[in-house]
C-alpha cells in the first residue's frame, strides 16, 4: 500500500514538470514556426482592385496597385507581417501603456508619457485631418485595415506567446500618437530646461550659464554661411543678451525627481540627435547630376526603426522609409526627386512652472489672474500591480506633466506644464509628407514643406532637373526679446508667453547655391535674423560633424556615390586639432615618470591619427580621457545623476570645446577642497583616472587596448533586456568604430559606459545620374521576426560601412524576386 502511494506521489510530482516541458515545447514551436505567409492570395472586402506584392532578396515589399487605398492596405498588411510586435510596442510606448505588459517597472515612463497627452491630442488632430484632407483619412483607414487583417489571418509573432498576450486591433489615432513620441524624445529642452534651473538652485558661487553656451563661444559652422560670413556678421551685429528667469521655488532634489523619468524615457531611444545630410549640385558631381547623401541618427532598436517599402499605383511611385505606424515615408525617392530629413533642433518645447491657487487646485495663475484649468481623468493599468485613475490638469500652456508623477511616484516638486507646438497648432505634417511624395515639380514639393509644424526638420532635396535645395521646416515660436528659453519658464506673470509664430514662407531656405553643396548636421541654420527672431533659438548640436563634412567635400572637386561612402563612414574627430595641443601641453607639465603607465599612454595618444577605428588604442584613450575630464571638472558641482543627464546634451560638448582653452573658467576648481585647483591639475588627475579605468577594462598590456573592445554595439530587442531572451532576440554585441561628434556618429550612454546606443538608422546615396544604382543599408534588416532571413542580414554590412543596391526598376525587382502575394476584393 505504501509503495503504491509513493508511486502515485511521484507521478503527481511529475505533472508540473511535464506541464513546464510542454509549455517550453510550445514556446519553442511558436518561436520557430510562427512566420507569416509571404506567398499566396489575400482577399478583403475593402479592396477595390488587385494588388501584387513582390518581396526581394532583402525582404523589401514592392507593392503595385491600381488604387491608392489598396496600396496602403497592402503596406499595412506587409509591415504588420514583418514588424507587428514593433508596431504594438511603439503604440503602447506612445500612449503610455507599457506597464500593461511590463508591469510596475514601466509605470514611471507611462506616467510621463500620459502626461504629454499624445493619444488624446492625436484623436483630436486625426478628426481634423480626415475632414480637411479626406484622401489622407482614407489612406489611414486602409493602412490600419491592412494591419488588422494581418492580425486576424497570420500567425501571431513569438513575442506574444512569451508574454501570454494577444495583439489588439489598431486605429488611425495610433498612427499620429506614434508620430509624436519619437520627436518628443529628441527634444533636448525637456531635459536641459529643468536641469538648467536645478543647477541654479544647487550652484550658488558660479555662473551656471557658462555650462549652456550654445554657439556663443565660437564662430559657428552654419548651413547658410561660410565661416568668414558668419564671423563678419557676428562682429558687425550684436546678438541679443539672454536674461535667465528667476530659479524655480524648489530645491535641487525635487527637480531631480522630475528629471529621472524624463531621462529614462530618453534612454529607451538613446541620445538621438546626430544626423547628417548633404546634397551636391551638378557642378560638384562626376555624373553632372544632383546627388543626395543622408544618414539620420536615432537610437538603435531591434528591429531597425525604418521599414523600407516601394509603392507604385497610377502615376505615383516612391521608394520610401517608413516609421512604425506612419503610412507615409519620411525619406524617399523616385525618378523625379529624392529627399531626406535630419532634425532641425529648433526649440519648439517649453516647460512652465505653474502657480496654482492654494484655495482651489483647479485654478492657475495666468498673466497675473486666476483662471480655471481643464481636468482629464487618465487611467493607468499596471500588469501584476494596482490599476489607478489619475487626474491631469490642462493649463493654457499645456498638460501639467507632474500631476501623474505626484499620483504614482510621490513627486513633491513644482507643478510643471509642457508647452509644445505640436499641441497648440493644427498638425498638418501628414499632409506635408503626402504632398512631398506626390510632387511633380519643385514648387509642389516646396508647398509640402510648408505644412510641417513640429518637430522641426531639415529637408534636403535633389531632383532630375538638377535642383538641389534645403528647407528648415517647422513652425518657429516667437518669444519675448532677451528671454532665455533654456530654463523653466514663469507660467504666472505672462512675461514668458509665446508671441506668435514665424510664417512658414520666412523659414531659412537654400536653393542651388553657387558653392555647389548644402550640408546639414543638426547645426544652426544661420546667424542672421528670420521672421522677427533676431537669433534662432534651438538646441544646436556641436559643429564638429558639419565642419568635418564640409572639409572633406572641399578635398575633391567632384564626387559620386562610391567616393561618398568614405565620407559617410568617416571616423576622424574634427576638434582634436584644437584640443589635443592643450592636453599635451598640460600633461607634459604633469611630471609623469618616464616609465610610468601614464607616460606610455600619453605616447600612444601623441602618435594617434585622430581616427576611431575598432583597433585604435588612441581613440580609446581620447574618449575615456574626455569622459574623465567631465567627471573631475564638473562632478563636484553636479553630482553623478545630474552629470549623466548633462553629458547627454549637445551643450555639454559645446561647453567642453571652449572650456579646454579657458584656463580661468571657475568650473576648473574642485569645490570640495579649500585650494583653488588650476586647469592643468584637473587634467593630470583625469588622465591618471583614464589610465586606471582602461587598465581595469582591458588589462595591463596597452598593446592590446582597442576602441572596439569598450565601444561595442548590440541591437537590443524589447525583450532582449531580460536574461535568456537576449540570446533569442538580440543581434550582437559587436566591436564598433566611430564615436561621438564624428561623422560616423556612434553615440554611447556616457560616464564610463561606451556601449553604443544610437547612430545611423540608415545610410543612403542617391545619384540622379544613375538612379538605378541607388545605395542603402539598414542596421539590422527589414524584418522583425527572429527566424526570418531578413532579421539581421544587413548588420555585418552596416558595421563595415558597406551598402546594398536598391531594387527600383522593374527589371531589378523581377531578377531579385523571392516571394509574391496577391491581394483582391472579396471575403
Amino acid at each position: 500500500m505504501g509503495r503504491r502511494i509513493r508511486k502515485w506521489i511521484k507521478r503527481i510530482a511529475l505533472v508540473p514538470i511535464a506541464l513546464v516541458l510542454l509549455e517550453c515545447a510550445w514556446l519553442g514551436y511558436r518561436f520557430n514556426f510562427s512566420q507569416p505567409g509571404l506567398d499566396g492570395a489575400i482577399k478583403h472586402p475593402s479592396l477595390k482592385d488587385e494588388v501584387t506584392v513582390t518581396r526581394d532578396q532583402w525582404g523589401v515589399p514592392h507593392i503595385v496597385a491600381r488604387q491608392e487605398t489598396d496600396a496602403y492596405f497592402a503596406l499595412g498588411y506587409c509591415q504588420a507581417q514583418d514588424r507587428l510586435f514593433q508596431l504594438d510596442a511603439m503604440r503602447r510606448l506612445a500612449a503610455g501603456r507599457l506597464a500593461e505588459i511590463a508591469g510596475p517597472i514601466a509605470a514611471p515612463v507611462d506616467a510621463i508619457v500620459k502626461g504629454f497627452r499624445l493619444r488624446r491630442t492625436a484623436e483630436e488632430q486625426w478628426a481634423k485631418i480626415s475632414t480637411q484632407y479626406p484622401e489622407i483619412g482614407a489612406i489611414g483607414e486602409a493602412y490600419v485595415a491592412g494591419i488588422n487583417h494581418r492580425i486576424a489571418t497570420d500567425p501571431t509573432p513569438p513575442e506574444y506567446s512569451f508574454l501570454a498576450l494577444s495583439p489588439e486591433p489598431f486605429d488611425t489615432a495610433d498612427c499620429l500618437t506614434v508620430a509624436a513620441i519619437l520627436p518628443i524624445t529628441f527634444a533636448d529642452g525637456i531635459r536641459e530646461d529643468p536641469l538648467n534651473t536645478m543647477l541654479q538652485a544647487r550652484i550658488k558661487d558660479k555662473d551656471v550659464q557658462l555650462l549652456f553656451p550654445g554657439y556663443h563661444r565660437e564662430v559657428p559652422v552654419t548651413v547658410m554661411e561660410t565661416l568668414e560670413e558668419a564671423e563678419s556678421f557676428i562682429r558687425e551685429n550684436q546678438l541679443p543678451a539672454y536674461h535667465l528667469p528667476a530659479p524655480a521655488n524648489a530645491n535641487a532634489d525635487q527637480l531631480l525627481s522630475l528629471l529621472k523619468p524624463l531621462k529614462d524615457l530618453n534612454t529607451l531611444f538613446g541620445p538621438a540627435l546626430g544626423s547628417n545630410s548633404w546634397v551636391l549640385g551638378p557642378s560638384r558631381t562626376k555624373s553632372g547630376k544632383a546627388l543626395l547623401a543622408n544618414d539620420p541618427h536615432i537610437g538603435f532598436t531591434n528591429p531597425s526603426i525604418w521599414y523600407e517599402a516601394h509603392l507604385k499605383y497610377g502615376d505615383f511611385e516612391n521608394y520610401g522609409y517608413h516609421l512604425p505606424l506612419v503610412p507615409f515615408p519620411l525619406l524617399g525617392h523616385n525618378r523625379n526627386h529624392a529627399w531626406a530629413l535630419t532634425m532641425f533642433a529648433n526649440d519648439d518645447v517649453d516647460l512652465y512652472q505653474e502657480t496654482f491657487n492654494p484655495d482651489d487646485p483647479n485654478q492657475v495663475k495666468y498673466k497675473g489672474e486666476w483662471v480655471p484649468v481643464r481636468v482629464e481623468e487618465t487611467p493607468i493599468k499596471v500588469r501584476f500591480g494596482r490599476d489607478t485613475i489619475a487626474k491631469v490638469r490642462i493649463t493654457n500652456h499645456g498638460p501639467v506633466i507632474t500631476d501623474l508623477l505626484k499620483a504614482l511616484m510621490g513627486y513633491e516638486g513644482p507643478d510643471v506644464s509642457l508647452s509644445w507646438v505640436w499641441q497648440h497648432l493644427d498638425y498638418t505634417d501628414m499632409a506635408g509628407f503626402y504632398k512631398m511624395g506626390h510632387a511633380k515639380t519643385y514648387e509642389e514639393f516646396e508647398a509640402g514643406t510648408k505644412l510641417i509644424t513640429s518637430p522641426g526638420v531639415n529637408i534636403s532635396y535633389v531632383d532630375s532637373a538638377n535642383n538641389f535645395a534645403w528647407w528648415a521646416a517647422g513652425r518657429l515660436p516667437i518669444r519675448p526679446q532677451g528671454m532665455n528659453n533654456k530654463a523653466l519658464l514663469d507660467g504666472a506673470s505672462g512675461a514668458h508667453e509665446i508671441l506668435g509664430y514665424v510664417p512658414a514662407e520666412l523659414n531659412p531656405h537654400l536653393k542651388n547655391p553657387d558653392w555647389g553643396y548644402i550640408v546639414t548636421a543638426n547645426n544652426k541654420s544661420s546667424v542672421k535674423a528670420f521672421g522677427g527672431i533676431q537669433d534662432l533659438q534651438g538646441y544646436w548640436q556641436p559643429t564638429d560633424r558639419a565642419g568635418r563634412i564640409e572639409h572633406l567635400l572641399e578635398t575633391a572637386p567632384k564626387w559620386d556615390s562610391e567616393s561618398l561612402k568614405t565620407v559617410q563612414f568617416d571616423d576622424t574627430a574634427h576638434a582634436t586639432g584644437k584640443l589635443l595641443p592643450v592636453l599635451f601641453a598640460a600633461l607634459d607639465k604633469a611630471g609623469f615618470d618616464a616609465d610610468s603607465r601614464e607616460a606610455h599612454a600619453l605616447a600612444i595618444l601623441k602618435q594617434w591619427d585622430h581616427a576611431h577605428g575598432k583597433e585604435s588604442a588612441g581613440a580609446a584613450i581620447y574618449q575615456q580621457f574626455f569622459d574623465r575630464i567631465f567627471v573631475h571638472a564638473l562632478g563636484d558641482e553636479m553630482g553623478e545623476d545630474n552629470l549623466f543627464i548633462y553629458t547627454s546634451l549637445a551643450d555639454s560638448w559645446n561647453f567642453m570645446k571652449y572650456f579646454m582653452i579657458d584656463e580661468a573658467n571657475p568650473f576648473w576648481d574642485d569645490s570640495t577642497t579649500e585650494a583653488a585647483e588650476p586647469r592643468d591639475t584637473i587634467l593630470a588627475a583625469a588622465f591618471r583616472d583614464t589610465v586606471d579605468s582602461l587598465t581595469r577594462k582591458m588589462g595591463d598590456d596597452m598593446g592590446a587596448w582597442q576602441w572596439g573592445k569598450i565601444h561595442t554595439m548590440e541591437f537590443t530587442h524589447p525583450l532582449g533586456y531580460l536574461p535568456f531572451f537576449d540570446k533569442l532576440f538580440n543581434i550582437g554585441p559587436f566591436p564598433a568604430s566611430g564615436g561621438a561628434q564624428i561623422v560616423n556618429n556612434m553615440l554611447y550612454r556616457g560616464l564610463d559606459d561606451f556601449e553604443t546606443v544610437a547612430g545611423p538608422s540608415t545610410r543612403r546615396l542617391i545619384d540622379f545620374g544613375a538612379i538605378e544604382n541607388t545605395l542603402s543599408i539598414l542596421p539590422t534588416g527589414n524584418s522583425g521576426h527572429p527566424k526570418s532571413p531578413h532579421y539581421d542580414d544587413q548588420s555585418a554590412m552596416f558595421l563595415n560601412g558597406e551598402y546594398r543596391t536598391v531594387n527600383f526598376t522593374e527589371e531589378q525587382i523581377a531578377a531579385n524576386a523571392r516571394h509574391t502575394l496577391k491581394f483582391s476584393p472579396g471575403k
Side-chain angles (χ1 to χ4, degrees), residues 1 66 136 237 270 317 343 360 468 509 528 532 574 589 643 654 666 674 678 686 742 747 787 804 822:
M1 188 71 173
R66 295 188 179 93
I136 294 176
N237 298 270
E317 181 176 19
M343 298 306 295
D360 184 350
F468 62 107
H509 168 50
K528 299 178 181 178
H574 190 61
K589 290 186 291 185
L643 184 59
N654 291 330
E674 294 184 3
I742 291 168
L747 301 172
K787 299 303 290 185
R804 58 182 178 79
K822 297 281 189 178

Side-chain angles (χ1 to χ4, degrees), residues 126 331 582 608 657 739 795:
W126 187 262
L331 321 170
V582 176
W608 177 49
K657 287 193 297 182
S795 58

Side-chain angles (χ1 to χ4, degrees), residues 730-750:
N730 292 357
I731 303 170
F734 310 101
S737 61
Q741 312 309 334
I742 291 168
V743 178
N744 186 24
N745 200 37
M746 297 293 183
L747 301 172
Y748 35 81
R749 299 188 190 280

Side-chain angles (χ1 to χ4, degrees), residues 417-634:
S417 65
L418 172 76
S419 177
W420 181 17
V421 170
W422 192 83
Q423 296 171 325
H424 287 281
L425 299 178
D426 286 347
Y427 182 74
T428 53
D429 296 46
M430 287 286 190
F433 287 114
Y434 177 82
K435 290 181 179 295
M436 287 157 58
H438 283 74
K440 296 293 188 292
T441 66
Y442 179 93
E443 291 73 22
E444 289 176 356
F445 186 91
E446 183 172 48
T449 70
K450 305 305 180 188
L451 295 175
I452 303 301
T453 56
S454 175
V457 290
N458 292 304
I459 301 177
S460 302
Y461 169 93
V462 294
D463 64 29
S464 58
N466 275 342
N467 292 304
F468 62 107
W470 156 84
W471 293 266
R475 300 305 304 274
L476 301 174
I478 302 173
R479 297 180 173 90
Q481 187 71 22
M483 185 188 86
N484 188 330
N485 53 303
K486 293 185 176 182
L488 288 186
L489 303 179
D490 175 14
S493 68
H496 298 151
E497 300 302 314
I498 290 175
L499 305 176
Y501 297 90
V502 174
E505 58 270 17
L506 298 182
N507 277 24
H509 168 50
L510 274 178
K511 180 183 180 182
N512 300 335
D514 293 340
W515 56 90
Y517 59 80
I518 306 169
V519 174
T520 69
N522 315 116
N523 54 321
K524 193 174 185 178
S525 303
S526 173
V527 295
K528 299 178 181 178
F530 283 90
I533 300 177
Q534 188 174 351
D535 185 25
L536 286 174
Q537 297 169 333
Y539 298 87
W540 317 117
Q541 290 292 301
T543 60
D544 303 42
R545 288 179 290 107
R548 176 65 179 171
I549 293 168
E550 290 191 359
H551 167 77
L552 291 172
L553 292 179
E554 288 297 333
T555 62
K558 294 182 184 293
W559 296 83
D560 58 12
S561 293
E562 187 64 30
S563 55
L564 283 176
K565 290 178 181 179
T566 61
V567 179
Q568 282 194 326
F569 206 62
D570 179 76
D571 61 12
T572 298
H574 190 61
T576 48
K578 292 182 178 179
L579 298 181
L580 285 179
V582 176
L583 296 175
F584 294 155
L587 296 179
D588 285 342
K589 290 186 291 185
F592 297 135
D593 186 83
D595 294 327
S596 68
R597 298 187 59 75
E598 289 81 6
H600 286 300
L602 180 58
I604 293 173
L605 192 59
K606 287 184 176 181
Q607 295 170 3
W608 177 49
D609 62 0
H610 306 184
H612 285 68
K614 290 176 284 189
E615 296 80 19
S616 174
I621 297 170
Y622 174 80
Q623 293 291 346
Q624 182 76 60
F625 189 15
F626 273 98
D627 179 89
R628 296 295 89 192
I629 293 172
F630 274 115
V631 170
H632 282 261
L634 302 180

Side-chain angles (χ1 to χ4, degrees), residues 70 150 203 288 321 337 354 362 401 565 572 578 675 764:
D70 290 350
R150 179 264 181 263
I203 303 171
Y321 297 70
H337 65 278
E354 302 286 10
N362 293 330
I401 61 175
K565 290 178 181 179
T572 298
K578 292 182 178 179
R764 304 163 63 217

